[in-house]
């Protein structure tokens, strides 16, 4: 995935088509993020002495749920269908969250760091693309991006890069996120 904004497309309906892609993929991303945190919480909430990380994950899940709720409204307002991949992204997100949590707290944080790193860049490219055409949406995306950066930074502070196999784990998660973005824009 390129970090550069996509140039406007020529033709009638091109702008609304691109806006539909943006809303669909962002909705899908927030849906996946909610389920990643739910998977992590399903594993870590049960552990004794894990109240701190459980509280942190619950707070981040709430942020993602707020973003998802806003994208639900935007999809309806703009009459854009969600991704056809939503059922798969729910399951995959939960599995990723639970799987990384089973590897330990540092791996759960590594997951957050890797996902949010990709999403921050993704939002930044969209903001650059939309800031003159759709300034209100660009402002909302900026707020969401800033919250994603805070999640990433928190994960780093909690030792994300100390997770066992961090380079491989993070690379696989980043590649999966970039692939999901490309698929969700179109399907």
């Amino acid at each position: 995935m390129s970090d550069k904004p996509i140039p406007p497309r020529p033709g009638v309906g091109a702008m609304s088509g691109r806006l539909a892609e943006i809303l669909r993929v962002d909705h899908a991303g927030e849906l996946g993020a909610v389920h990643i945190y739910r998977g992590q919480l399903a594993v870590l909430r049960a552990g004794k002495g894990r109240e701190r990380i459980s509280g942190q994950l619950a707070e981040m899940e709430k942020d993602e749920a707020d973003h998802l709720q806003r994208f639900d409204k935007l999809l309806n307002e703009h009459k854009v269908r969600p991704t056809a991949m939503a059922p798969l992204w729910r399951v995959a997100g939960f599995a990723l969250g639970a799987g990384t949590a089973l590897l330990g707290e540092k791996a759960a944080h590594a997951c957050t760091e890797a996902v949010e790193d990709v999403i921050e860049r993704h939002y930044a490219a969209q903001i650059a693309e939309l800031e003159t055409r759709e300034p209100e949406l660009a402002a909302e995306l900026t707020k969401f991006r800033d919250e994603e950066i805070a999640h990433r930074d928190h994960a780093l502070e909690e030792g994300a890069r100390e997770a066992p196999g961090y380079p491989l784990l993070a690379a696989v998660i980043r590649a999966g996120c970039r692939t999901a973005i490309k698929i969700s824009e179109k399907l």
Side-chain angles (χ1 to χ4, degrees):
M1 184 193 94
S2 172
D3 294 341
K4 295 179 184 174
I6 296 174
R9 297 182 204 165
V12 176
M15 298 293 242
S16 63
R18 178 62 187 140
L19 181 60
E21 286 179 355
I22 288 170
L23 295 177
R24 181 173 24 265
V25 72
D26 290 354
H27 178 268
E30 299 299 347
L31 178 73
V34 165
H35 286 81
I36 288 170
Y37 286 121
R38 288 180 181 169
Q40 290 175 337
L41 283 164
V43 171
L44 294 172
R45 223 180 229 150
K48 197 170 187 88
R50 296 215 166 134
E51 295 80 14
R52 181 173 174 268
I53 190 171
S54 294
Q56 294 168 345
L57 293 171
E59 186 61 35
M60 290 187 282
E61 189 265 342
K62 182 191 174 305
D63 290 344
E64 304 298 354
D66 290 346
H67 300 173
L68 179 59
Q69 184 178 29
R70 179 62 183 137
F71 281 113
D72 281 336
K73 289 179 184 173
L74 286 167
L75 288 180
N76 286 327
E77 287 171 14
H78 293 276
K79 297 179 178 23
V80 173
R81 66 164 176 77
T83 179
M85 302 300 290
L88 178 61
W89 296 159
R90 282 183 188 94
V91 171
F94 191 91
L96 177 61
T100 55
L102 286 168
L103 294 173
E105 290 183 26
K106 301 263 192 232
H109 288 303
C111 177
T112 296
E113 185 270 333
V115 169
E116 300 296 20
D117 182 62
V118 172
I119 299 309
E120 185 274 325
R121 294 169 193 267
H122 173 73
Y123 272 148
Q126 289 181 340
I127 292 162
E129 179 181 350
L130 294 171
E131 61 192 348
T132 56
R133 292 193 327 235
E134 297 278 345
E136 289 178 22
L137 180 57
E140 279 191 276
L141 295 182
T142 299
K143 177 185 178 294
F144 294 166
R145 182 201 59 200
D146 291 348
E147 291 173 359
E148 308 298 359
I149 290 170
H151 296 170
R152 181 199 63 204
D153 291 349
H154 173 77
L156 287 168
E157 290 167 9
E158 293 292 323
R161 292 187 176 153
E162 298 166 23
Y166 169 80
L168 178 60
L169 179 64
V172 168
I173 292 169
R174 285 186 180 102
C177 287
R178 287 190 293 270
T179 300
I181 286 168
K182 288 297 183 194
I183 292 169
S184 295
E185 280 181 336
K186 304 299 181 190
L187 297 180

